[in-house]
Amino acid sequence: MSIEKAKNYLKQFGADSRVLEFDVSSATVELAAQAVGCEPARIAKTLSFRTNDGVILIVAAGDAKVDNPKYKARFGCKAKMLAFEEVEPEIGHAVGGVCPFGVNENVTVFLDESLRRFETVFPACGSSNSAIELSIPELEKFSGYKAWVDVCKGWRE
């Protein structure tokens, strides 16, 4: 089960016991915000893309949307999300629970600037009814991210 994979991964940081599991779905930003009890923007959604260099994850704020020109300028190709059926085999987590914890080895993680305005955010933990509250430094450490990127729009005031 994917949540177990995420928990086992988080164990190395002593954070596995902090994973929240809900009786309701947290598979979308809106549902996760309701389950957690926070504003949707603080949900750290994890989006999966195929680039010329392989599969990547971009963790972004719940209110941010990928800006195609910014994405193309950063990654050198058009933003092409993985198809539903590709996500689990390529990433290691199914749609609704995709997170940057315990992903397949060939997956590169990027964090979007839209997250930096929050003290803590809530990424999923491998299932459609889980999350963990992390500070930005914890998200950096736990995700094993490669770089911060600025590829989203719609979140700046």
Side-chain angles (χ1 to χ4, degrees):
M1 199 171 163
S2 205
I3 188 168
E4 294 308 321
K5 187 176 177 184
K7 281 183 177 179
N8 285 338
Y9 175 84
L10 291 166
K11 195 175 287 185
Q12 68 186 306
F13 305 105
D16 54 310
S17 63
R18 292 170 49 195
V19 173
L20 306 168
E21 292 186 69
F22 312 110
D23 293 330
V24 295
S25 175
S26 59
T28 66
V29 168
E30 292 75 20
L31 291 172
Q34 287 174 9
V36 168
C38 73
E39 63 183 298
R42 285 185 56 212
I43 300 301
K45 62 185 176 184
T46 305
L47 307 169
S48 51
F49 296 90
R50 184 173 314 286
T51 69
N52 298 332
D53 298 325
V55 176
I56 66 168
L57 293 177
I58 298 175
V59 185
D63 61 348
K65 296 194 179 353
V66 171
D67 181 297
N68 288 316
K70 285 182 174 183
Y71 181 98
K72 188 170 185 176
R74 174 61 179 84
F75 295 107
C77 61
K78 186 178 175 191
K80 184 180 188 301
M81 291 191 79
L82 295 182
F84 182 90
E85 64 277 0
E86 295 176 310
V87 174
E88 191 167 12
E90 294 274 2
I91 304 300
H93 299 299
V95 172
V98 176
C99 65
F101 317 119
V103 297
N104 294 344
E105 282 185 35
N106 60 336
V107 177
T108 306
V109 177
F110 294 90
L111 303 178
D112 187 75
E113 291 290 332
S114 58
L115 296 167
R116 286 196 198 251
R117 64 196 150 130
F118 301 110
E119 206 169 296
T120 63
V121 293
F122 293 89
C125 285
S127 72
S128 61
N129 67 328
S130 65
I132 187 170
E133 184 174 14
L134 297 175
S135 67
I136 298 304
E138 285 176 325
L139 179 61
E140 289 175 332
K141 183 177 180 181
F142 299 175
S143 69
Y145 79 110
K146 180 176 182 175
W148 280 94
V149 294
D150 182 6
V151 296
C152 289
K153 63 182 178 181
W155 61 273
R156 288 185 172 97
E157 296 179 16

